[in-house]
Amino acid sequence: MDLIERAQAEVINRHDFFVEWFTGRAGEKDMEVSARAFAPDMLMIEPDGKMIRAGEIVGMITAARGKRPADFEIRVELVAARQIGNDIALVTYDEHQVIDGQKTARRSSAVFSADPEAPEGVVWRQLQETWITT
């Protein structure tokens, strides 16, 4: 698999994990593996502009285990993926969530770098999310 394919797989598989974790179906070992997908210096910019670092991201995910109903869903639609450096990829995608019948959507741009120790061979370096209407 090339860098672009690994980055796309990471986006899809990490969101699949989120569904399993947030509904309580994933186990602690799954969280340990998932946490390795985030670079130690990762930066996430939430839709409201708040910036959070990798440790806080992992902490928020860990604390959210089982906090969503069984019918919680996330649908990821990949919009674009491209290599922007030797070992750097940019993936832009739309994320649609349904929580208790309420739908939300955000458009995200994520930067990945190659890392053979990560679950899909890439780590999240930066994530920018923006609310969108559906």
Side-chain angles (χ1 to χ4, degrees):
M1 230 188 303
D2 69 13
L3 180 69
I4 296 301
E5 292 169 326
R6 291 193 314 265
Q8 289 175 324
E10 173 56 36
V11 169
I12 293 166
N13 293 337
R14 202 60 38 226
H15 285 85
D16 288 347
F17 162 77
F18 293 153
V19 171
E20 295 301 302
W21 182 259
F22 295 155
T23 58
R25 296 186 293 255
E28 293 295 327
K29 184 70 173 168
D30 299 313
M31 183 62 216
E32 290 174 25
V33 170
S34 191
R36 289 198 311 264
F38 305 109
D41 63 347
M42 181 192 171
L43 174 67
M44 177 180 175
I45 304 170
E46 296 182 315
D48 65 1
K50 181 181 176 192
M51 294 190 297
I52 56 177
R53 298 277 177 191
E56 188 177 355
I57 294 164
V58 171
M60 287 175 12
I61 294 167
T62 301
R65 183 173 188 223
K67 302 288 186 189
R68 296 286 185 227
D71 62 349
F72 170 67
E73 67 180 73
I74 298 176
R75 188 178 78 253
V76 173
E77 298 173 353
L78 291 178
V79 176
R82 59 191 173 110
Q83 192 161 340
I84 58 173
N86 286 341
D87 288 327
I88 307 292
L90 173 68
V91 179
T92 303
Y93 61 94
D94 289 352
E95 175 185 338
H96 301 268
Q97 292 189 16
V98 180
I99 305 170
D100 294 326
Q102 296 284 355
K103 296 179 182 181
T104 62
R106 64 194 87 189
R107 181 156 295 143
S108 299
S109 293
V111 176
F112 296 91
S113 63
D115 183 336
E117 302 300 314
E120 298 299 331
V122 295
V123 289
W124 297 74
R125 303 306 304 254
Q126 184 161 325
L127 174 63
Q128 166 81 52
E129 298 182 324
T130 304
W131 293 119
I132 58 174
T133 56
T134 56

